[in-house]
Structure formats: C-alpha cells, structure tokens
Amino acid sequence: MCGICGLLVRNSQEDQISLVLHRMNNRLKHRGPDDEGFALFSNHTQIIASGNDTNQNSLNSIRNYAPKVHIDDVKENAFRIGFGHRRLSVIDLSDGGHQPMCTAENSDVWITCNGEIYNYVELRDELHSLGYSFHTNSDIEVLLNAYLCWGTKCLDRLNGMWAFVIFDKQKGILFGARDRFGVKPLYYTLNKYHFAFASEHKSLLEMPSYLVEVNQSAIFPHLAYGNVELEPESFFKNIFELMPSHSFVYNINSDEFSVDKYYSLPINSQNPSFNGSDFLLAKDKMYNHIENAVKLRLRSDVPVGFCLSGGLDSSTIVSISNELNRKQQLSELSGGIKAFTAGNNSLYDESNWAKLVVDNSNVDWVNTIVTADTLFDELESIVYHQDVPLFSTSTYAQNRVMKSAKEHGITILLDGQGGDEIFAGYPTFYTSYFNQLLKKFDFKTLFNEFSNLKNSPTSFSIYLKSLMKLGLDGTLSSSQKKTYSTKYKPEFSLISPELTALNQDKIRFSGEFSSKGLNELLSDYCTNYYLKNLLRWEDRCSMQYSIESRTPFSDDINLIEYAFSLPANYKIHQGWSKYIMRQAIEGVVPDPIRFRKDKKGFSIPQTAWLMEKQAKIKEIYGDLRSLDTFHCVDHQKIEKEWNVIFSDAKNFKQMDLIFRYINFLIWLKLFVAPNP
C-alpha cells in the first residue's frame, strides 16, 4: 500500500521536473512513510533518486533500481518523464520492495504501484515455470513480470487491489490501470504542458501548469444528495478519476492519450425457481470462496488487525480468520486477533453486537468511543486527507477506528466493505427484487416474500413509497421536479434558487430505488458510483494513519464473480437479505448476528451531534461563508431559520445539508482559497 505520482512533459517549460516531482511526492507522505523513491527519464539517460524519507537499506542496495543520488541534487533539466513513490512496507520489507522498480533482467520497463496483488504467490509460480526469474519476495516484481509476459492482458490474471503506471521504453508508452472495483485511487490531469497522475488530488495541485479551480457541476449533487465524484471529473476542475476497471495508454511518440474499460462484471439475470439441493451446493461453494478471499488477504509481513462493526460482513471476516488461525497458527496472527470497533453510547451503538463476536472468538478487542467533542476540532484534517468535502459524520467514526488501530501497532486492517453490494444487504434491493418478480409474473414467490417481510429491514409501505418515487421520476418534467422538491423536500429550500435552477436535470425522486433486476442493480452498486464512494472514504481514512485497508468482499474476483453467477432468489429469500451468506457461515458466526434483521451501516447519532454542536457549526459557517463565491445556499433563509432548524430532530435533513455545506466551505479554505 503506497502513494504514487508521476508526470510527462508535453511542451517545454522552465520548471525543473525533479523539483515538481519532489513536491508531488511530499503531498503523499502519509500514504507511505517507510520508503521513498524517484525515477527520471530523458531520451538518452535515466536517474534513480532518493528523497528525505528513503530507507537506509534502499540507499545501501546494489539493485539496478536502487537510488543513486538525492532528488534535490538532480540539476539536469532535460528529463521528460518522472515517477515518484511512497512506500508502506507490508510484503517483502527489504530493499527488494523499493519503488519505482524494474526487473533485474530488464531496465527498460518501470513501474510505480499502489496496492496488493494477493495471488502473487500463485502468479510467481506460473511465471517461474514460463522462464521468468525472481530476485525478491515482492508482489510488485510479480506484477512487473506479468506485464512483461502478458502485456496489458496481465490485468485479467490479477486478484487484488491496484493502481499503477508502467513506463515501457521500448513501446514508448505509459500504461496505467486501476483495479476492477475501485479499491485503490488514481487521478490524472492533462493540459497543454503536462500529463500527470497521482494517488490523491492534492498531489496534482503541485503541477506548475495546473490552475486550481472548482468543478461547479459537482456542487449541487453533493449539497442535495451527498454525492461525491459521480463523474470522472472530480471536485477539482480538470482533475479526472481513472474509473474502476479502466486503464489508460499514453503514447509518448504520437502524444495521444486513451482510456479503455478492460473488465465488465458478468451477471446472472435469470429468474429460476428456488432449488433446495442446488442451493446447498452453492452455499458450500460460497463459504469456500469467502474463506479463500480472507486467507489471501491475511498474507503479510506485518501485523494484521480487523475492523469489527458488529454487522454481518465484518463479523464474518473476524470469525473466519479466527477459525483459520485455530486450525493452523498463522504467522500473520501470531500476536493474536486484534479487532477495532467504534462505539458511540447511543441507540446507534453496535458495540453489543461486536462483543458477541469477541466472546465467541479469541479476540483482543479495542472499542473506541467516539463523541462529537473532537469532531469539529479534527474536521479540517479529515477533509484535507479526504481531498473532498464530507457528507456525513460516519467518516469521522471510521477515521477514529483507523487511528486506534495505528496506536496499537497495526499496519493492515481487514474490513467488510462490499458485502452489502454483492449479497444485497440494503433495504432498497428489496424493491428491485420485487419488481423483478412482478415482471416475471412470479406472484407466488412475490406473495411469499411479502409474507416474510418480518425477517427484513424493509416494509410493504416502503415498497409502495419506492414505486411512487419511481413513477414521479419517470413522469415529471425537470421544472415540475424542481417545484415538488422545494415543496416536499425541506432541505432543498436552503439551496440557492440559482443553483437549483442550473441543475434541474439532476433533481431526482427515486434516489436509490430502481426498476432494474436485483443482480443488475447490485452490479451498478459494485461497478459505478456507490461502492467506489465507500472505498474512497475507506482508503483515505486508513492512509491518513499509514494503514493498509483490505476488503475481501470488494476485490476478490473469484468470490465476486461467483456471487453474481447466482440467481437473485439466493440473495433475498423468505424475507432475508444476504440469504446465501447467512446460510454459508452457519456454525462460524454467532447466530444472533447471523440472523440480525436490522441494517444500520456505519451508524452515528449525527442529528444529536449536530444539535449538540450547533454553536460550533454556526461559528465555522460565519467564518467561512465569504469563501462561497458560487452562491450555493440561501444565506438569508439559513440564518433566519437557524434556531428553528437546530431545535428539533425532525429537521435532520436541513441539518445534514448545513453540515455538508460547512464541509464544502472547509474544502474551499484548504484547497482553493490559498491559490489565488
């Protein structure tokens, strides 16, 4: 797990790219404090350089990619391409894992990579049988040889999370790729003078040719719905996200840049009758896939810990890891299983569920109680590391879990992110499944599911409400949606009429509800905005504390493809969500958790916190509102109704919007205001 950056000079500028690259890499220090490296290339020469944080073992190394000079001592201004790297050492802690890297046999192909290739042991064996040599225990050396062997098709063989860029001198290209579901981030900018890429937006702000500017089209979706990075263009104008399952090629000779999608998730869209004997076979296969996904992600040369919310997904990962360790003492868990929870002493607190797992396993448990007391003291730091405005306080709770793990000496955390998206864990998925049954005229199954809604986190009234919203979305014009939104969604009245008018085409009623079939909707969640959004919060929260977060349900390709090969009625059955998962983990996860009917997510008493801290919120609002030159909200209305809004919990939607707005103001202060 690391931070990467790089640039290509398209047109000559006076700026020395070694200095620019150094500044870009410094912005990523939190992602990789263990080592630092640079590689600079011109038409006739290359220099491998160190930085202030380069590990001493790397400096003493005799490998052909070991640093030879400090980056500040590189004076030549003729370099056209530069790579930077920040390393968090988790596999092969020696100098062999230093990056940027080339192989011992081929110094014409270089890589800078962020991520982990979990099946690197199996790939190394295969490549070795094909004649490739290995001189380290690094998964990145395996990835580099995989590219040498299979070219860009190497992506098809990878199981894991990654964002990397390769410079292939012989072909004259930069080849970059991001993992299938967006666990690891990668951003880029392209202008007249430079092409540049980085793990985080803030690194790209160091480009001398980049003028910091707000992407105004991103403001309304964030304020109205809490959406961030719906489109490839980020909150920063002209900084783009390389989307999950996509790769790029920059042809240096022809100066051409192209982006392609290299993977599409296959899904089962059929609607067969439920077959009990087939299901029994499927649930056994499912357990094996989950177990193998967890086992692969325990591979590490540093201590591994676990996020434990008390929900089904994180409880499954901890419980399976406990079983694996019980059967065979794993070196990665030699210090015991350490699990970290965020409690909050409220009705939303799930610590009691987490404790059931702890009591059922051999777990060393740390329950961190999060309160509103320090939230606003740390908000600027969190927004800085996120690079985007927050949409809820749940990110703060997740941040505290990561901080607690770091304080207890943990470098890797396994988390349950993604389980809801592949197994249908959210109430909204019931609407999709019921609509699928209606379209297939399967009234018998539909009636049975309605009869068993007592097992679900949804209700028949919510289903009817979703149908109404879907109907409104399909029949109302943009101007009608605007009128109805202002009338029936009280938070919309706080957004400035000008901003709403400019974004009429983005107003929607259906929200998360969809008329798509269940597996089709799940695929949307996994491959488009939703899961990617959650994984971004996860990545930034963990990397703020130099922790690698691993998510078996979000990137194990064998597990995910098997889950999507199963029919919808294996996922929602007799009212139960995530049915096949619940059945597969029988005897491993405590039954009270296995049969939980509620769905809380990463729940925080946000409304109570905002009411408690309204004076602090008002102070931030007053200090920063002048930064909003876009007139995003109706300041007069907000100030007039402030006391009314924050006096009643029923006004939680208005409070949520104001919280999102002050986060937007903080983001402007950190990233836009300092850049005239």
Side-chain angles (χ1 to χ4, degrees):
M1 185 69 67
C2 308
I4 66 173
C5 63
L7 74 159
L8 164 73
V9 178
R10 302 182 71 201
N11 287 298
S12 178
Q13 278 200 318
E14 294 181 1
D15 302 278
Q16 189 172 327
I17 74 166
S18 60
L19 300 180
V20 176
L21 198 61
H22 199 182
R23 293 198 302 268
M24 292 175 68
N25 221 34
N26 281 340
R27 286 275 208 157
L28 303 172
K29 181 175 181 178
H30 53 283
R31 297 188 71 91
D34 298 330
D35 197 10
E36 181 181 18
F38 302 89
L40 298 140
F41 308 94
S42 67
N43 290 335
H44 307 293
T45 188
Q46 64 187 33
I47 289 182
I48 316 305
S50 62
N52 297 333
D53 297 311
T54 301
N55 188 283
Q56 190 62 45
N57 289 335
S58 298
L59 292 172
N60 296 335
S61 174
I62 59 172
R63 300 180 190 274
N64 56 344
Y65 52 91
K68 306 297 189 297
V69 62
H70 194 282
I71 189 70
D72 290 343
D73 295 329
V74 177
K75 303 303 181 185
E76 185 179 345
N77 202 27
F79 294 108
R80 191 181 178 193
I81 297 172
F83 279 4
H85 191 267
R86 284 281 184 173
R87 185 184 183 199
L88 180 65
S89 303
V90 296
I91 292 177
D92 188 352
L93 309 186
S94 74
D95 62 291
H98 178 81
Q99 292 186 56
M101 180 188 289
C102 65
T103 66
E105 293 78 17
N106 190 333
S107 60
D108 285 337
V109 179
W110 289 78
I111 188 170
T112 182
C113 179
N114 167 33
E116 300 292 346
I117 310 304
Y118 297 119
N119 63 331
Y120 75 100
V121 174
E122 293 77 11
L123 281 175
R124 184 172 57 196
D125 290 342
E126 181 179 0
L127 287 163
H128 191 269
S129 69
L130 295 173
Y132 289 84
S133 300
F134 294 90
H135 304 272
T136 77
N137 292 315
S138 167
D139 60 320
I140 306 305
E141 185 186 20
V142 175
L143 172 57
L144 197 50
N145 275 295
Y147 172 78
L148 291 172
C149 181
W150 298 301
T152 59
K153 294 297 183 182
C154 68
L155 299 173
D156 299 337
R157 298 172 176 267
L158 306 181
N159 186 348
M161 54 181 183
W162 64 83
F164 67 78
V165 178
I166 286 174
F167 174 35
D168 189 327
K169 291 184 184 180
Q170 293 295 321
K171 294 181 180 178
I173 63 169
L174 295 175
F175 169 60
R178 190 177 178 197
D179 61 63
R180 298 176 184 90
F181 302 101
V183 185
K184 291 295 99 193
L186 189 59
Y187 299 89
Y188 66 89
T189 186
L190 177 66
N191 58 43
K192 177 180 177 181
Y193 299 102
H194 297 102
F195 166 73
F197 64 87
S199 297
E200 297 181 7
H201 309 74
K202 64 177 69 70
S203 179
L204 295 172
L205 304 186
E206 297 296 335
M207 293 298 303
S209 59
Y210 178 73
L211 176 65
V212 179
E213 187 178 352
V214 178
N215 174 19
Q216 295 187 42
S217 67
I219 297 174
F220 179 82
H222 176 64
L223 291 181
Y225 306 111
N227 297 148
V228 178
E229 294 184 345
L230 277 174
E231 304 295 332
E233 189 172 25
S234 70
F235 250 88
F236 296 92
K237 188 72 174 175
N238 296 323
I239 290 181
F240 298 87
E241 178 183 13
L242 183 68
M243 301 302 278
S245 294
H246 282 69
S247 62
F248 71 76
V249 172
Y250 196 113
N251 189 308
I252 299 167
N253 298 323
S254 63
D255 195 33
E256 294 177 333
F257 177 74
S258 62
V259 175
D260 294 298
K261 186 174 184 180
Y262 67 84
Y263 175 79
S264 294
L265 178 63
I267 65 171
N268 181 342
S269 57
Q270 297 178 354
N271 194 52
S273 299
F274 188 87
N275 185 302
S277 58
D278 287 349
F279 178 82
L280 290 176
L281 293 173
K283 82 176 182 69
D284 289 341
K285 280 187 177 181
M286 180 57 70
Y287 182 83
N288 291 335
H289 277 298
I290 297 173
E291 182 185 59
N292 190 60
V294 172
K295 190 173 183 179
L296 282 178
R297 281 149 189 80
L298 289 173
R299 287 177 170 172
S300 171
D301 294 327
V302 295
V304 176
F306 301 84
C307 295
L308 179 61
S309 68
L312 191 62
D313 304 323
S314 63
S315 299
T316 295
I317 292 173
V318 171
S319 299
I320 286 179
S321 298
N322 183 68
E323 283 294 298
L324 289 169
N325 198 41
R326 184 181 61 81
K327 294 175 184 175
Q328 177 186 354
Q329 292 295 312
L330 301 175
S331 59
E332 298 89 344
L333 300 176
S334 59
I337 294 180
K338 294 182 172 61
F340 300 86
T341 301
N344 54 65
N345 292 333
S346 76
L347 293 175
Y348 297 92
D349 195 334
E350 296 189 277
S351 300
N352 58 317
W353 295 104
K355 192 173 186 302
L356 287 175
V357 177
V358 172
D359 292 342
N360 193 61
S361 308
N362 182 26
V363 175
D364 180 9
W365 187 40
V366 178
N367 184 21
T368 299
I369 303 300
V370 294
T371 68
D373 292 338
T374 59
L375 167 61
F376 292 96
D377 294 330
E378 300 184 25
L379 205 51
E380 281 198 14
S381 175
I382 296 174
V383 172
Y384 173 80
H385 285 90
Q386 292 288 335
D387 278 344
V388 294
L390 305 189
F391 85 99
S392 82
T393 56
S394 63
T395 304
Y396 166 69
Q398 188 177 39
N399 187 277
R400 296 302 85 194
V401 169
M402 303 300 179
K403 182 178 181 181
S404 177
K406 188 65 176 180
E407 291 170 346
H408 286 80
I410 296 297
T411 303
I412 293 175
L413 281 174
L414 268 66
D415 199 358
Q417 207 74 265
D420 289 318
E421 288 74 23
I422 65 174
F423 292 118
Y426 300 125
T428 185
F429 294 136
Y430 284 82
T431 299
S432 180
Y433 182 48
F434 294 165
N435 288 344
Q436 179 177 336
L437 294 174
L438 274 175
K439 291 176 182 178
K440 299 291 185 180
F441 301 104
D442 189 352
F443 300 114
K444 179 180 178 181
T445 302
L446 182 62
F447 179 78
N448 181 62
E449 292 299 333
F450 282 151
S451 301
N452 285 286
L453 281 177
K454 61 182 180 295
N455 296 328
S456 78
T458 190
S459 66
F460 185 69
S461 63
I462 291 177
Y463 174 56
L464 292 179
K465 186 177 179 181
S466 71
L467 291 180
M468 180 190 72
K469 288 184 174 182
L470 284 168
L472 286 172
D473 247 358
T475 58
L476 295 180
S477 67
S478 294
S479 60
Q480 287 174 319
K481 288 180 183 179
K482 176 188 173 185
T483 301
Y484 278 93
S485 291
T486 304
K487 185 174 182 180
Y488 295 108
K489 294 174 72 67
E491 69 275 20
F492 267 63
S493 67
L494 303 181
I495 301 174
S496 71
E498 296 83 4
L499 186 64
T500 303
L502 290 171
N503 292 274
Q504 287 189 38
D505 61 324
K506 297 177 183 175
I507 297 174
R508 63 184 192 272
F509 282 95
S510 60
E512 298 173 344
F513 299 115
S514 172
S515 59
K516 295 179 178 178
L518 179 58
N519 273 336
E520 187 180 1
L521 181 60
L522 289 172
S523 176
D524 276 355
Y525 267 63
C526 284
T527 60
N528 292 323
Y529 164 75
Y530 199 89
L531 180 58
K532 174 178 74 72
N533 181 47
L534 297 175
L535 292 169
R536 186 196 51 254
W537 305 122
E538 177 105 17
D539 172 80
R540 301 301 205 285
C541 283
S542 60
M543 294 310 298
Q544 179 174 344
Y545 300 102
S546 306
I547 285 177
E548 172 171 305
S549 179
R550 297 179 172 181
T551 52
F553 295 119
S554 293
D555 59 21
D556 189 273
I557 189 58
N558 299 317
L559 167 61
I560 294 171
E561 288 193 344
Y562 183 67
F564 277 93
S565 74
L566 301 175
N569 57 14
Y570 282 18
K571 298 174 183 179
I572 294 179
H573 186 65
Q574 295 182 346
W576 291 103
S577 64
K578 306 168 87 166
Y579 183 73
I580 190 167
M581 181 182 180
R582 295 176 192 268
Q583 296 300 313
I585 57 176
E586 182 179 8
V588 177
V589 175
D591 279 352
I593 292 177
R594 198 163 66 89
F595 292 112
R596 279 188 67 177
K597 301 175 184 179
D598 58 336
K599 178 58 188 170
K600 291 184 177 180
F602 216 127
S603 297
I604 290 297
Q606 176 160 305
T607 301
W609 282 9
L610 297 183
M611 293 175 69
E612 177 187 343
K613 295 299 179 181
Q614 64 163 303
K616 183 64 176 178
I617 296 170
K618 195 169 188 178
E619 177 188 336
I620 297 172
Y621 170 85
D623 289 345
L624 301 181
R625 56 165 288 183
S626 63
L627 296 177
D628 178 13
T629 59
F630 310 98
H631 308 292
C632 298
V633 300
D634 187 333
H635 290 291
Q636 185 176 0
K637 186 176 180 65
I638 286 177
E639 291 164 12
K640 180 181 178 180
E641 299 181 3
W642 189 282
N643 291 336
V644 174
I645 291 172
F646 282 91
S647 65
D648 192 337
K650 292 180 181 178
N651 299 322
F652 69 94
K653 289 188 176 181
Q654 293 99 309
M655 284 185 248
D656 289 351
L657 186 141
I658 291 172
F659 179 74
R660 291 196 293 272
Y661 180 63
I662 68 163
N663 274 277
F664 173 64
L665 294 176
I666 290 171
W667 178 81
L668 288 173
K669 173 189 173 183
L670 292 171
F671 295 109
V672 181
N675 298 273

